[in-house]
Amino acid sequence: MKNIWIIANWKSNKSVKEAIEWIDFVGSRLEKKPNLKVVVCPSFIDIEEVKKTILVGNYPLLVGSQDLSPFDAGAYTGEETASILKQFVDLSILGHSERRKNFGETDEMISQKVKQALDHQITPLVCIQDENTPIPESCKLVAYEPIFAIGTGNSDIPQNAVEIANKLKQKSPEIEVLYGGSVTAQNAKGFLMQDNLSGLLIGRSSLDPIEFVKIVEVAYPF
Ligand code: PGA
């Protein structure tokens, strides 16, 4: 049975209080399923309280970060290292198009970040914007997120996501490919039902806990 990843990318949203309320709401409504990995990626400052709330509630939720430092521990003011994040997170979103566009992230930096993640047992989830985005060889989890679909309400069609996934799997059969970009509870099924897609990366629709639970419910049969 393939893994299904349902990943909430909160971006720069939610106070600690709002984050805890979301976790209690969503966590208490989720069913545990061995192949279903539901991951929440809060802002750095929310991560610790989110993790504690999950442990106290014994909820079937994992925690991820939205980025991490390309460097190891040391004199890098303002950076969050993989070794620090490893205390709380299992996964890190890397190379999101918003980071490339707004913070000048390059493919080389992303590949350093992937290395840092793997050196500290954090699963790197690399975002690709199209089939030409380089993927570090050691990365086995990617999200196809076409720029036109991010935050616009216009998702791509499942067939395009499958086409990208098929090409990536030809090169690296064990790679898992997710889709991201304007995912909602309405369009989630079209992606999840595709054999070569392994889940969803969700921005705006993940902020509302009611909508997010609906999306996870769509994933249960897969
Ligand atoms: P969106 O964002 O769901 O708001 O389009 C997705 C993402 O940027 O990961």
Side-chain angles (χ1 to χ4, degrees):
M1 198 184 244
K2 68 172 180 179
N3 286 328
I4 296 283
W5 298 84
I6 303 291
I7 302 182
N9 175 10
W10 286 353
K11 308 190 180 182
S12 299
N13 292 289
K14 293 199 188 293
S15 65
V16 171
K17 182 172 175 286
E18 289 166 342
I20 291 171
E21 283 168 3
W22 187 103
I23 295 294
D24 277 326
F25 183 95
V26 172
S28 59
R29 284 166 177 78
L30 296 185
E31 284 173 25
K32 288 192 172 82
K33 285 194 73 207
N35 71 322
L36 179 64
K37 296 173 191 298
V38 184
V39 187
V40 56
C41 302
S43 70
F44 285 128
I45 201 81
D46 289 352
I47 282 178
E48 184 175 355
E49 286 302 322
V50 160
K51 181 70 182 181
K52 278 190 204 158
T53 309
I54 290 169
L55 290 175
V56 170
N58 192 23
Y59 300 137
L61 278 167
L62 299 167
V63 184
S65 64
Q66 300 170 18
D67 185 28
L68 51 72
S69 174
F71 301 109
D72 222 328
Y76 301 102
T77 302
E79 285 296 279
E80 298 289 350
T81 62
S83 52
I84 293 172
L85 287 165
K86 183 56 201 165
Q87 299 174 93
F88 310 110
V89 312
D90 295 298
L91 174 145
S92 186
I93 300 171
L94 300 175
H96 192 284
S97 58
E98 289 158 6
R99 295 215 54 86
R100 293 177 192 261
K101 176 167 163 258
N102 300 317
F103 305 98
E105 267 190 27
T106 61
D107 292 327
E108 198 199 329
M109 283 161 77
I110 292 157
S111 112
Q112 282 175 266
K113 290 179 182 203
V114 166
K115 182 172 182 312
Q116 284 298 321
L118 291 170
D119 283 353
H120 294 91
Q121 295 78 49
I122 294 173
T123 301
L125 165 61
V126 168
C127 299
I128 61 165
Q129 288 69 54
D130 57 44
E131 62 205 89
N132 301 317
T133 310
I135 302 169
E137 211 177 311
S138 47
C139 175
K140 299 299 171 205
L141 184 64
V142 304
Y144 164 58
E145 294 211 317
I147 292 182
F148 69 81
I150 295 181
T152 59
N154 296 315
S155 68
D156 201 349
I157 53 168
Q159 286 69 20
N160 286 345
V162 169
E163 218 174 280
I164 300 272
N166 289 345
K167 285 183 190 157
L168 298 181
K169 280 174 172 287
Q170 264 164 22
K171 284 189 232 156
S172 174
E174 72 276 37
I175 206 160
E176 294 178 285
V177 184
L178 318 185
Y179 169 75
S182 296
V183 171
T184 62
Q186 274 67 48
N187 63 23
K189 188 173 176 195
F191 295 98
L192 291 169
M193 63 194 292
Q194 308 295 333
D195 283 346
N196 271 351
L197 294 180
S198 300
L200 301 164
L201 177 56
I202 305 152
R204 195 160 47 183
S205 299
S206 76
L207 295 175
D208 174 2
I210 298 172
E211 175 81 0
F212 188 73
V213 168
K214 282 190 196 153
I215 296 174
V216 178
E217 284 170 354
V218 174
Y220 285 147
F222 298 102

